[in-house]
Amino acid sequence: MFVRCLYSTEQTKTKCLKINAVQQKLMQQFLLKKGDFSKFVNTAIKDSDFVAPVEGSREKQNTRPFFREISSADEIYLGRKSYYTVKGFFFRENEKIFGFNGNKIINPESELKDTIYFGLRRCDLNGIYHQDIVFLDENEDPFYKARRDASLLIGYHCREGDDYCFCNSMELVDFFDLMFYDKGENYAVETGSEKGNSFVKKYSKFFTKADNAVSDEDRKTVNRKKLNTADIKDDYDNDDWKKGSDICVSCGACNFLCMNCHCFDFEDDVEFDLKAGSRIRKPASCQLRSFTRVAGNHVFRNERNARFKHRIYHQLQYFRERHNVQFCTGCGRCIEGCPVRIDWVEIINEMKK
Amino acid sequence: MPKPKVGFYDLTGCQGCLLSVIFNENEILDMLSKIDVKEFRFIMDEKYSGKLDVCFVEGTVVNKEDEKVLGKLRERSKILVALGACACHGNIPALRNFADEKKLDYLKYEKKHEQMQDMEKPMPIAKFVNVDYSIPGCPPDRDEIKKFIKEILLGKEFRNYSDPVCRECRLFENGCLIDDGQICLGPLTKGGCHAVCTTNGFKCYGCRGVTDDANFEGYFRLLEEKGKTDVQIKKHMETFAGIEINEKLKDTEWQQLH
């Protein structure tokens, strides 16, 4: 994977730059005719599972785009950034961690097929990059790793952001196997990994080599919204946070729509013989009271305001202090998906005025 | 360990909750092999008047007779469980609490008042006796019933699902009914129902009761912005968990609304 160097310590910086120099050489550019696009997708679908954004479906009472496994290129919808993220494919609700029968541990069997994820925006890809830091670098999570190993990430570049996103304000990196840029008659395609290169080789009849197909101008995204990214370390006690937390209805939508949020809870489920069962992992939300409830019914962040601040500080402060990378990718889904449309970006901008 | 003696009883209600117990077709035999069912009128004729380890009670207390039956059940039971929205929150039978009595005057002329129950305000069972556990919902979720029985058998403390309906709604990638301008009680209501109503396009009526940290003020503000009137919101909220919501909003203007 091509990841622009972000690490601040000298040692990691040198190492990172070396890796980047090697990776830079890997990067190749191609053109794919739009007329061939459907054929290309339909061919790829025959070889692997293919996940892409689709328009909302009536059966789901949902008019907003979301990712799903598709069976034909006609289903793909690239008109706008998807409302629901691709996160659920990697980090699942009710993931069986292990089964048990008496004292015997039974590891869950998985039949993973190679999956192509298409139409990921830069914010989605960076979200996966952050999930990798948590689930692969910090402590390796075998379930996440298996899914990531079986995945090929294909990006689709946003020319223009919507009313909610502010990705230009965040430190995003180039992280993809392939990246598609809309160039009128063609798609310019850039590879970002060995995996991406072999993918292009496999479907070489659709791709024509074209150096300099992607210009710096192509890589830009126009954003209407901006976040003042000045340090918020000393603003913890600012009263302005209440502007958000007072109207928050504690539904957790911001967490579940966020590409980065990765907190989870465990639950044990037993069979009626009371001997066999399984341990299950499910996504949790730091905006809900249950999140910090511990034995004795003690709740660490009982106030809504404390929970609200915790989310923003995790997005902008804590993760960066720990991993040198800004966590939030500026997709704005937490604002768009919030029933109240709490605009924390505006709250911070006001605070910093 | 001897099997716990369990009874399933009903007060005034539709008895759908008891059906939720026996609708666990795949596991009902396993379940019945672990507990000693002493009375359950849907599946057996026997009556039982001895002591019970676990007593499930469904329905609302609407008259003195219900109150008497409930009191006796409490005396006989170690663990008493409120099963379903009626037992937990009053549900539809408790709508009478919010009825305009003048509108019921016609019953007098039709000589139907004699048939009316002697208790004016139907109430959830916790108003009359001490309730150890609640399994809310109209009907209660059959997985939660199974989970409850297993945890009791294991000697564990049963923990209700406390996150709002919105959690499951978002995980199932549903559209947001509030965004669509509907009075959906999702953000205020405890989930664990697999968001069954909202996933099928029906707004949430709050049958599983109010979450621990519901922000009513924020919710009213949100719906008012969407053009909903207080009376519309109140009517919607009273349907299933009206008594609980009324108590939470005690001494506010809310109670004067009609």
Side-chain angles (χ1 to χ4, degrees):
Chain A
M1 282 285 172
F2 181 77
V3 180
R4 196 179 64 209
C5 178
L6 270 177
Y7 297 89
S8 54
T9 65
E10 269 319 300
Q11 206 187 354
T12 49
K13 201 171 180 178
T14 330
K15 196 178 158 196
C16 206
L17 283 172
K18 264 188 201 162
I19 296 169
N20 280 4
V22 176
Q23 281 177 333
Q24 199 97 51
K25 275 189 201 155
L26 276 176
M27 271 189 138
Q28 293 178 39
Q29 293 176 357
F30 302 88
L31 283 178
L32 173 96
K33 278 195 202 120
K34 274 195 181 164
D36 288 344
F37 179 71
S38 294
K39 224 171 164 189
F40 154 69
V41 171
N42 291 335
T43 316
I45 285 173
K46 280 184 202 139
D47 303 334
S48 16
D49 287 351
F50 201 100
V51 173
V54 296
E55 260 187 303
S57 70
R58 202 170 275 270
E59 83 229 45
K60 283 202 160 203
Q61 307 294 330
N62 186 9
T63 50
R64 299 175 178 96
F66 62 103
F67 283 88
R68 78 155 184 229
E69 200 189 315
I70 57 160
S71 52
S72 151
D74 306 336
E75 295 170 50
I76 299 177
Y77 173 73
L78 294 170
R80 51 156 296 193
K81 175 188 77 197
S82 70
Y83 178 83
Y84 285 104
T85 66
V86 75
K87 180 168 76 173
F89 285 90
F90 296 102
F91 176 43
R92 298 190 173 174
E93 165 83 337
N94 294 337
E95 170 103 65
K96 192 173 167 185
I97 298 296
F98 60 80
F100 51 86
N101 195 346
N103 289 331
K104 214 174 117 200
I105 298 287
I106 306 146
N107 286 320
E109 284 170 35
S110 78
E111 283 173 31
L112 270 183
K113 243 184 110 181
D114 281 349
T115 310
I116 298 165
Y117 295 92
F118 179 79
L120 306 167
R121 308 288 167 137
R122 209 152 176 253
C123 48
D124 298 323
L125 290 157
N126 273 267
I128 296 176
Y129 173 51
H130 297 159
Q131 300 265 354
D132 282 3
I133 292 175
V134 176
F135 288 119
L136 301 179
D137 298 353
E138 265 195 42
N139 284 305
E140 194 176 285
D141 180 276
F143 310 98
Y144 181 81
K145 188 176 187 308
R147 294 212 179 99
R148 279 289 285 114
D149 286 347
S151 67
L152 181 96
L153 309 179
I154 306 183
Y156 178 76
H157 180 74
C158 280
R159 279 169 181 273
E160 204 182 326
D162 54 30
D163 290 341
Y164 304 100
C165 54
F166 48 96
C167 57
N168 278 341
S169 309
M170 312 317 284
E171 298 162 354
L172 299 193
V173 298
D174 291 318
F175 182 82
F176 49 79
D177 291 311
L178 291 179
M179 188 74 178
F180 275 54
Y181 298 87
D182 194 337
K183 299 275 273 181
E185 302 251 296
N186 297 306
Y187 286 115
V189 182
E190 194 171 31
T191 59
S193 69
E194 202 66 76
K195 223 176 185 177
N197 281 336
S198 18
F199 180 79
V200 171
K201 212 178 264 172
K202 190 174 171 190
Y203 299 100
S204 57
K205 62 175 173 180
F206 298 106
F207 296 96
T208 352
K209 186 117 177 60
D211 293 330
N212 305 321
V214 186
S215 65
D216 283 348
E217 199 55 37
D218 292 333
R219 289 198 174 87
K220 277 184 190 153
T221 305
V222 182
N223 273 169
R224 269 164 279 188
K225 207 175 178 67
K226 278 195 169 59
L227 167 70
N228 184 342
T229 47
D231 206 318
I232 51 168
K233 205 155 73 185
D234 300 323
D235 297 313
Y236 195 82
D237 295 322
N238 198 316
D239 274 348
D240 279 5
W241 293 113
K242 286 206 183 107
K243 284 188 210 164
S245 58
D246 280 355
I247 57 173
C248 166
V249 288
S250 290
C251 69
C254 44
N255 291 126
F256 298 118
L257 295 177
C258 176
M259 188 59 218
N260 301 296
C261 284
H262 53 260
C263 291
F264 53 79
D265 196 4
F266 284 116
E267 213 176 87
D268 286 350
D269 187 26
V270 288
E271 306 286 335
F272 261 111
D273 66 6
L274 305 182
K275 284 178 191 139
S278 54
R279 177 158 294 175
I280 282 163
R281 177 165 71 184
K282 33 177 63 177
S285 157
C286 61
Q287 297 310 291
L288 304 178
R289 217 171 155 271
S290 59
F291 183 74
T292 55
R293 185 169 59 195
V294 293
N297 208 18
H298 179 69
V299 181
F300 284 101
R301 281 186 281 273
N302 209 355
E303 297 298 313
R304 195 172 290 112
N305 191 250
R307 296 199 295 268
F308 180 70
K309 282 192 277 189
H310 176 76
R311 181 171 71 89
I312 309 298
Y313 271 79
H314 192 188
Q315 294 284 349
L316 299 181
Q317 199 76 28
Y318 307 148
F319 197 79
R320 178 158 53 178
E321 282 171 14
R322 193 162 171 171
H323 300 290
N324 286 316
V325 188
Q326 223 164 24
F327 193 43
C328 175
T329 55
C331 70
R333 286 182 176 101
C334 53
I335 306 171
E336 187 186 359
C338 171
V340 199
R341 305 278 186 278
I342 297 171
D343 194 337
W344 59 271
V345 173
E346 279 313 307
I347 293 173
I348 292 180
N349 289 346
E350 284 287 313
M351 211 184 272
K352 291 289 175 192
K353 252 185 195 167
Chain B
M1 195 181 83
K3 287 182 193 173
K5 296 187 184 89
V6 180
F8 292 86
Y9 296 88
D10 53 282
L11 304 171
T12 301
C14 74
Q15 284 138 41
C17 308
L18 297 184
L19 285 175
S20 284
V21 178
I22 55 174
F23 278 173
N24 283 300
E25 302 89 354
N26 296 336
E27 283 170 295
I28 186 97
L29 294 177
D30 294 335
M31 185 160 98
L32 295 177
S33 71
K34 288 284 166 187
I35 55 178
D36 181 9
V37 180
K38 289 292 181 193
E39 189 171 338
F40 191 167
R41 69 187 181 98
F42 276 17
I43 53 174
M44 59 204 273
D45 288 336
E46 290 84 357
K47 298 282 168 209
Y48 178 74
S49 53
K51 295 269 180 200
L52 285 164
D53 292 305
V54 186
C55 172
F56 290 89
V57 181
E58 179 244 51
T60 317
V61 178
V62 304
N63 54 27
K64 295 282 177 219
E65 181 58 28
D66 281 342
E67 196 183 342
K68 220 158 71 189
V69 170
L70 178 66
K72 278 190 186 147
L73 286 173
R74 176 70 272 187
E75 277 169 28
R76 286 164 49 202
S77 315
K78 264 191 217 159
I79 297 173
L80 189 120
V81 188
L83 181 65
C86 290
C88 295
H89 308 110
N91 206 4
I92 304 277
L95 265 175
R96 200 159 129 190
N97 286 273
F98 314 110
D100 186 351
E101 281 182 24
K102 278 180 207 147
K103 286 186 182 162
L104 301 175
D105 272 355
Y106 76 96
L107 292 168
K108 288 180 193 163
Y109 301 106
E110 291 182 12
K111 297 197 175 167
K112 283 184 178 164
H113 63 287
E114 282 155 20
Q115 294 160 24
M116 284 175 76
Q117 310 287 6
D118 53 357
M119 192 176 283
E120 281 180 0
K121 310 268 182 208
M123 282 289 170
I125 63 172
K127 293 279 172 209
F128 304 91
V129 295
N130 183 30
V131 171
D132 300 297
Y133 293 101
S134 304
I135 305 177
C138 181
D141 184 63
R142 53 187 184 175
D143 289 338
E144 198 166 35
I145 297 172
K146 275 187 290 189
K147 188 179 167 209
F148 176 83
I149 295 174
K150 287 173 197 169
E151 307 231 318
I152 287 292
L153 289 168
L154 288 167
K156 277 170 79 176
E157 187 89 358
F158 173 73
R159 207 175 71 179
N160 280 104
Y161 188 99
S162 60
D163 294 348
V165 173
C166 299
R167 178 189 182 275
E168 284 166 303
C169 218
R170 287 308 191 292
L171 287 166
F172 300 157
E173 304 189 331
N174 296 333
C176 180
L177 295 170
I178 296 181
D179 269 357
D180 294 346
Q182 300 201 43
I183 304 176
C184 173
L185 294 184
L188 303 176
T189 305
K190 281 180 192 157
C193 48
H194 310 300
V196 63
C197 297
T198 47
T199 303
N200 291 296
F202 299 106
K203 48 197 176 180
C204 172
Y205 271 91
C207 74
R208 293 176 62 86
V210 181
T211 56
D212 301 342
D213 63 339
N215 183 357
F216 284 99
E217 224 172 281
Y219 183 77
F220 291 148
R221 188 189 151 278
L222 165 64
L223 287 188
E224 272 159 27
E225 271 176 17
K226 304 225 174 254
K228 304 291 168 201
T229 64
D230 289 349
V231 176
Q232 280 173 325
I233 304 170
K234 185 176 165 82
K235 282 201 168 147
H236 191 93
M237 282 183 161
E238 278 171 352
T239 320
F240 281 78
I243 292 171
E244 191 187 11
I245 294 173
N246 241 5
E247 274 167 15
K248 296 221 175 194
L249 296 172
K250 221 174 182 176
D251 304 326
T252 61
E253 284 172 19
W254 153 269
Q255 287 182 315
Q256 322 306 325
L257 293 171
H258 273 293

